């Protein structure tokens, strides 16, 4: 295994270059010979590597079931969330943001499930069926890990936007509808999706693929391997820098600051209501107080929903954010370094909380939102 799950992936060694030359000469077996020789670990690290490899192959079989179990529930939950918010309409702009969040979460879950397939016996059948020759980790990077990074960071940016939007509602309760209109929300969400998913194109520029005739198999097969062009490698590193540092830091700081502010405001609001509970002197005052209390309760409920979504995001995104960040700093923390099996094990485990983050929002919306809950029950109980 010589590709990287997370981190710059284009340290072209002499063995990979020789492999590429053998490809051009029609020798496809050199590709797999390179993979086997890269597994050997000389020196005192051999025992550690063997032990880590054994743990990885034992743990990954269990993790795959988590991918499928959580993923199926997450796909159903996000589809229901999308349907519910479409039925509720978009008179409130935050519904548009919740819908975009569900779409991004749905895509992130699909990539995680595909990751489970990539490390299951099924992948060999699929690769042979479609005549694809590639290194497994290289293929997993190309088809699931990079897309998952893109959609998970898009989710992070949308969560930051939702938190900021709610803060503006609290600070400017009257003017906010003039500041954040439906058109503004659409533009912001579109920019977030382009910003979050766009850099993955830079990562794909570091891949090279083509159809070649394999004389050993007597058939034309599709080969995928690393690109040795340095300029394309720089684009890959740019994408990784955005996903490992820029996006996580920006989203984390935004979400933490906004969530802290919202929690403080919720406590101040609760304290103010306790101090100002008075008996109404007539029916008019009673109706006014009831109306104001209803508006306040609705606003606080929306704020609590945003806080819950933000806290879940902070807790569940912490492992993958830290892992990607350290992989950008530690050269050995890659599948081409001494810690390659530790990286494989770590990458498979940290995707679980990331998948949970993308799957549980429907529970938050159901518990916190009365309109969401009633609409969801109508959909599920409709005959």
């Amino acid at each position: 295994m010589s590709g990287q799950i997370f981190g710059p992936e284009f340290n072209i060694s002499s063995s990979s270059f020789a492999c590429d030359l053998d490809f051009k000469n029609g020798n496809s077996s050199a590709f797999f010979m390179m993979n086997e020789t890269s597994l050997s670990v000389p020196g005192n690290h051999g025992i550690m590597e063997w032990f880590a490899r054994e743990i990885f192959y034992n743990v990954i079989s269990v993790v795959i079931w988590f991918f499928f179990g959580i993923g199926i529930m997450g796909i159903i939950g996000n589809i229901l969330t999308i349907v519910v918010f479409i039925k509720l309409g978009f008179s409130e702009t935050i519904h548009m943001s919740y819908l975009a969040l569900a779409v991004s979460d749905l895509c992130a879950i699909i990539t995680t499930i595909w990751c489970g397939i990539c490390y299951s016996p099924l992948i060999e059948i699929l690769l042979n069926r479609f005549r694809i020759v590639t290194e497994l980790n290289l293929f997993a990077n190309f088809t699931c890990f990079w897309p998952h990074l893109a959609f998970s960071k898009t989710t992070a940016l949308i969560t930051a936007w939702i938190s900021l939007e709610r803060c503006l509602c609290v600070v400017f309760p009257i003017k906010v509808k003039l500041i954040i209109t439906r058109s503004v929300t659409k533009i912001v969400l579109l920019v977030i999706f382009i910003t979050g998913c766009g850099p993955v194109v830079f990562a794909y520029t570091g891949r090279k693929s083509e159809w070649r005739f394999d004389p050993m198999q007597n058939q034309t097969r599709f080969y995928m391997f690393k690109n040795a062009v340095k300029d394309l490698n720089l684009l890959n590193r740019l994408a990784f820098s955005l996903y490992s540092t820029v996006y996580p830091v920006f989203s984390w700081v935004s979400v933490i600051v906004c969530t802290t502010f919202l929690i403080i405001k919720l406590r101040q609001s609760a304290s103010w209501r306790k101090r100002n509970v008075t008996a109404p002197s007539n029916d008019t005052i009673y109706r006014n107080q009831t109306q104001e209390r209803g508006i306040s309760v609705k606003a606080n409920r929306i704020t609590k929903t945003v806080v819950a979504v933000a806290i879940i995001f902070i807790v569940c995104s912490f492992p993958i954010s830290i892992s990607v960040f350290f992989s950008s700093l530690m050269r050995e923390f890659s599948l081409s370094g001494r810690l390659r099996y530790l990286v494989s094990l770590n990458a498979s485990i940290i995707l679980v909380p990331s998948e949970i983050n993308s799957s549980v929002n429907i529970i938050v919306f159901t518990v916190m939102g009365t309109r969401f809950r009633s609409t969801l029950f109508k959909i599920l109980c409709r005959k």
Side-chain angles (χ1 to χ4, degrees):
M1 299 182 182
S2 61
Q4 287 185 4
I5 286 184
F6 294 114
E9 302 173 314
F10 304 104
N11 300 321
I12 307 298
S13 62
S14 57
S15 60
S16 62
F17 180 71
C19 172
D20 190 31
L21 290 178
D22 286 337
F23 265 140
K24 294 178 181 178
N25 293 328
N27 184 9
S28 62
S29 62
F31 182 85
F32 300 100
M33 290 173 60
M34 180 192 69
N35 293 339
E36 292 298 325
T37 55
S38 65
L39 291 177
S40 61
V41 182
N44 297 328
H45 298 280
I47 297 178
M48 182 185 302
E49 278 294 301
W50 176 85
F51 185 70
R53 183 178 60 186
E54 292 299 313
I55 294 178
F56 169 72
Y57 285 118
N58 284 289
V59 171
I60 191 63
S61 59
V62 178
V63 173
I64 288 174
W65 287 108
F66 277 98
F67 286 164
F68 286 109
I70 299 173
I72 292 173
M73 292 186 294
I75 289 175
I76 296 173
N78 281 293
I79 291 176
L80 288 174
T81 300
I82 293 171
V83 173
V84 169
F85 280 119
I86 290 176
K87 286 186 172 294
L88 288 175
F90 305 111
S91 57
E92 297 183 19
T93 56
I94 198 168
H95 287 179
M96 301 173 65
S97 300
Y98 285 153
L99 177 64
L101 182 65
V103 172
S104 180
D105 284 339
L106 178 62
C107 295
I109 292 172
I110 292 174
T111 58
T112 307
I113 293 178
W114 177 246
C115 176
I117 295 176
C118 285
Y119 285 100
S120 69
L122 179 62
I123 192 61
E124 296 182 7
I125 300 175
L126 292 175
L127 291 178
N128 290 329
R129 172 66 180 82
F130 292 100
R131 298 183 299 172
I132 298 176
V133 179
T134 183
E135 182 190 358
L136 179 58
N137 282 295
L138 187 66
F139 182 77
N141 271 311
F142 187 84
T143 59
C144 68
F145 288 115
W146 275 109
H148 182 80
L149 271 180
F151 288 116
S152 64
K153 299 314 172 188
T154 301
T155 293
L157 295 175
I158 294 176
T159 305
W161 164 250
I162 291 174
S163 302
L164 176 62
E165 181 181 0
R166 195 59 212 162
C167 284
L168 293 176
C169 291
V170 174
V171 177
F172 308 106
I174 298 176
K175 296 181 179 181
V176 68
K177 291 187 178 295
L178 300 175
I179 300 174
I180 304 179
T181 62
R182 285 189 292 181
S183 298
V184 170
T185 303
K186 290 178 183 178
I187 294 174
V188 170
L189 293 175
L190 178 61
V191 170
I192 287 177
F193 269 97
I194 294 175
T195 304
C197 298
V200 79
V201 178
F202 298 153
Y204 289 158
T205 58
R207 295 285 181 259
K208 187 177 181 181
S209 58
E210 59 185 52
W211 290 94
R212 292 177 180 175
F213 179 74
D214 184 358
M216 298 182 64
Q217 301 292 331
N218 194 29
Q219 60 181 193
T220 302
R221 301 176 70 88
F222 182 78
Y223 291 90
M224 184 187 302
F225 46 91
K226 297 175 182 179
N227 199 323
V229 180
K230 292 184 178 180
D231 292 339
L232 298 181
N233 295 347
L234 292 177
L235 291 176
N236 175 267
R237 294 182 182 277
L238 173 61
F240 187 71
S241 297
L242 290 174
Y243 288 138
S244 65
T245 307
V246 178
Y247 291 169
V249 171
F250 174 79
S251 58
W252 265 58
V253 171
S254 300
V255 171
I256 290 175
V257 171
C258 292
T259 302
T260 304
F261 173 80
L262 291 175
I263 292 174
I264 293 174
K265 286 297 181 181
L266 281 174
R267 291 182 176 178
Q268 290 178 351
S269 178
S271 177
W272 182 87
R273 285 197 304 272
K274 289 181 180 179
R275 292 196 307 266
N276 291 274
V277 175
T278 56
S281 57
N282 55 55
D283 293 340
T284 302
I285 296 178
Y286 176 76
R287 285 194 298 269
N288 292 336
Q289 288 184 354
T290 303
Q291 184 178 7
E292 291 176 359
R293 190 178 299 112
I295 296 174
S296 177
V297 170
K298 179 182 178 181
N300 286 341
R301 185 167 57 245
I302 295 175
T303 302
K304 290 178 180 179
T305 302
V306 173
V307 169
V309 171
I311 291 176
I312 293 173
F313 160 75
I314 292 171
V315 173
C316 293
S317 67
F318 181 78
I320 189 172
S321 298
I322 293 298
S323 176
V324 175
F325 177 74
F326 273 104
S327 65
S328 65
L329 299 178
M330 299 174 59
R331 190 176 184 84
E332 292 185 351
F333 196 71
S334 66
L335 288 178
S336 58
R338 293 184 302 177
L339 304 175
R340 53 183 174 270
Y341 284 110
L342 179 61
V343 174
S344 300
L345 179 62
N346 174 71
S348 61
I349 293 176
I350 62 175
L351 288 180
V352 175
S354 179
E355 189 178 34
I356 292 174
N357 175 59
S358 299
S359 303
V360 300
N361 284 336
I362 187 173
I363 300 176
V364 177
F365 296 147
T366 303
V367 173
M368 299 289 189
T370 54
R371 291 181 61 197
F372 184 94
R373 183 167 57 249
S374 61
T375 305
L376 177 63
F377 288 165
K378 287 179 182 178
I379 294 174
L380 296 177
C381 299
R382 184 171 57 186
K383 296 182 180 179

